[in-house]
Amino acid sequence: VIVLLLMFGFGQIVQPFSTVTPVGVKVIGVFLGVIYGWGTCGMLWPSLLGMVALGLTGLFSVTDAIALGMGNQMVLFMILMLIVVENMNHTGIITNIANWMISRPICKGRPWVFATMIFFTAFIVSGFANAFPALFLCWGFWYSIFKQTGYKPYDKFVTCALCGVVFACILGSILLPFHNQPLIFLTSFAAMTGIETISFVGYLGVLIPYTLACLLEYVLLCKFIIRPDVEKLKNFDPLLLTEGKPIIFTKRQIASAMALIAVMLGLLLPGILPKTWAITQFLSSVGMAGWGIIVITIMCWIKIDGEPLLEFNKVAKQGVAWDVILFVVMILVISSVITNEATGISPFLGQALGPIFAGKSMFVFTALIVVCSVVMTNFMNNMVTGFLFMNIVAAYMPVLLANNLSPWTVVTLVIISANLAFWTPVASSTAGLLYSNSEWVKKMDVFKVAFITSIFWIITMLTLAFGLANLLLH
């Protein structure tokens, strides 16, 4: 009821104010409605209904609203990427990679090296596949280790180990610019502002050092500040987790991984190779969605042991999360609408934010954005938090450009900070699983570790990530 009242009643009740036009008031009502709906009712129907509501504001028709969102190439690209990743899960390569990583000889007799390898495994699997398989896989490793080494529920090391997997999964989920959340934020900000999209190579140049530094910081934090007992791990043989069996990668597993690598290279190479090269011009002309279509088509052509590498209908049925796709569609539509000159919303936001940020340096502005988004994301939906702060960055963009600070620098930090969501059970789905794991961890112990970790990661964001972003993102 509240969503309906906001979407369809707000514009009838509230009068135009400041620079906001009558159409702008209706758009604000739809914006508030979808934000409230996403936070309380889920992503699916608020997104669908929001497109209809935007089409009734008078700015354009419902048909135009649907075309604006569904016609964006990112929507099709996301669907194709979900299928490529799900195909990898079907082959079992994710488990094989994890088993191979944790069974390296360097882990034997070195507790913190071994723990780091499990965290890194969660990070890699989350980055290239999905956070949930990574979480359950690596928690499964730890449960087996606890059982064989005698660690008990609520031990300090148990808390550090299980928290570390969750934190690594969160870092992995923002590592690649074509992962769900980063791609949504980056594409919607480009649609919102009309500026050229971010360099994927530059994004990786910021995120790879930052996320690896954060992983290392967490291990050092556990080892030197929390200082759990790790003596029981010194005599543990990691090969016990794989039962001593050789890890064999099948032709199907290798081919599915090569398909993902091919997609990634197709997106990264235009930012690396000279613009005059034929391959660069080809990849730029086909775009993200076109390259995804080519890779998917080749996967359907290739047969291994008489079976196609990709059984499209079967994999698509399980791999495509339609609520996420429709959420993206709505984000793209409202991102374009909210900055439309006919609404008068952008000038209003600029006036409202002016007194807050007036006279402050660009670093202070960025720090305020980062800290506020970290706090908010731990009490509300990550995507909603990121979207709200992207609108603030968009409204303040002329000031950023005038001070030689790329808006992509701030947007990249918003992507990171909106995902540092592990203070509370409602902060994110992975945090909810961690806090609900009461058989092994205490909620207050988790909060203490999470809060201290986030302080270190915020400092790293405002030093390492901010510095790298200033150099690489223009």
Side-chain angles (χ1 to χ4, degrees), residues 192-246:
M192 190 185 300
T193 57
I195 62 176
E196 184 180 352
T197 189
I198 194 174
S199 161
F200 284 175
V201 176
Y203 180 91
L204 285 173
V206 176
L207 266 293
I208 290 175
Y210 172 76
T211 51
L212 292 178
C214 287
L215 273 181
L216 179 60
E217 282 177 2
Y218 179 73
V219 174
L220 295 176
L221 168 68
C222 292
K223 183 176 181 179
F224 295 108
I225 298 180
I226 301 176
R227 302 175 67 183
D229 177 17
V230 295
E231 288 297 316
K232 297 175 183 178
L233 272 183
K234 287 186 176 179
N235 297 320
F236 179 75
D237 187 354
L239 289 176
L240 292 173
L241 294 173
T242 59
E243 299 177 350
K245 297 177 182 178

Side-chain angles (χ1 to χ4, degrees), residues 210-358:
Y210 172 76
T211 51
L212 292 178
C214 287
L215 273 181
L216 179 60
E217 282 177 2
Y218 179 73
V219 174
L220 295 176
L221 168 68
C222 292
K223 183 176 181 179
F224 295 108
I225 298 180
I226 301 176
R227 302 175 67 183
D229 177 17
V230 295
E231 288 297 316
K232 297 175 183 178
L233 272 183
K234 287 186 176 179
N235 297 320
F236 179 75
D237 187 354
L239 289 176
L240 292 173
L241 294 173
T242 59
E243 299 177 350
K245 297 177 182 178
I247 299 167
I248 300 172
F249 292 92
T250 66
K251 290 185 290 184
R252 183 173 293 275
Q253 289 175 342
I254 294 171
S256 67
M258 292 298 293
L260 179 62
I261 293 171
V263 174
M264 293 168 57
L265 287 175
L267 300 179
L268 293 175
L269 288 179
I272 300 173
L273 301 178
K275 304 294 184 185
T276 55
W277 285 17
I279 183 65
T280 308
Q281 294 175 359
F282 171 74
L283 291 172
S284 299
S285 64
V286 299
M288 289 189 302
W291 181 243
I293 289 171
I294 291 171
V295 173
I296 288 282
T297 302
I298 295 173
M299 291 175 71
C300 292
W301 286 346
I302 294 174
K303 288 192 175 182
I304 298 176
D305 299 326
E307 298 292 333
L309 175 59
L310 172 63
E311 297 182 58
F312 189 91
N313 289 338
K314 179 181 177 181
V315 176
K317 187 181 296 184
Q318 297 181 3
V320 179
W322 285 106
D323 58 339
V324 175
I325 296 299
L326 292 168
F327 171 82
V328 172
V329 171
M330 184 58 196
I331 282 281
L332 291 170
V333 177
I334 203 161
S335 295
S336 301
V337 169
I338 212 162
T339 53
N340 191 298
E341 290 182 2
T343 65
I345 295 174
S346 288
F348 167 72
L349 287 174
Q351 292 176 9
L353 295 172
I356 299 174
F357 299 113

Side-chain angles (χ1 to χ4, degrees), residues 121-155:
T121 300
F123 170 73
I124 291 296
V125 173
S126 177
F128 288 88
N130 189 280
F132 288 107
L135 175 66
F136 293 126
L137 184 66
C138 292
W139 270 8
F141 289 148
W142 279 126
Y143 293 147
S144 179
I145 293 165
F146 297 155
K147 181 179 180 181
Q148 295 179 56
T149 55
Y151 279 105
K152 303 298 182 185
Y154 316 131
D155 284 349

Side-chain angles (χ1 to χ4, degrees), residues 410-462:
V410 189
V411 169
T412 300
L413 298 193
V414 167
I415 292 172
I416 298 172
S417 56
N419 280 277
L420 299 190
F422 39 70
W423 290 359
T424 67
V426 299
S428 63
S429 51
T430 47
L433 288 171
L434 177 60
Y435 279 92
S436 64
N437 194 1
S438 55
E439 293 182 7
W440 285 97
V441 295
K442 294 179 181 177
K443 291 182 175 61
M444 186 51 65
D445 291 343
V446 170
F447 173 75
K448 290 176 182 177
V449 173
F451 187 78
I452 295 172
T453 300
S454 67
I455 298 300
F456 280 92
W457 288 5
I458 289 171
I459 293 171
T460 307
M461 196 190 323
L462 293 174

Side-chain angles (χ1 to χ4, degrees), residues 357 366-378 385 389 417:
F357 299 113
T366 306
L368 287 172
I369 292 288
V370 164
V371 172
C372 290
S373 57
V374 169
V375 173
M376 284 184 62
T377 198
N378 279 283
T385 300
F389 280 94
S417 56

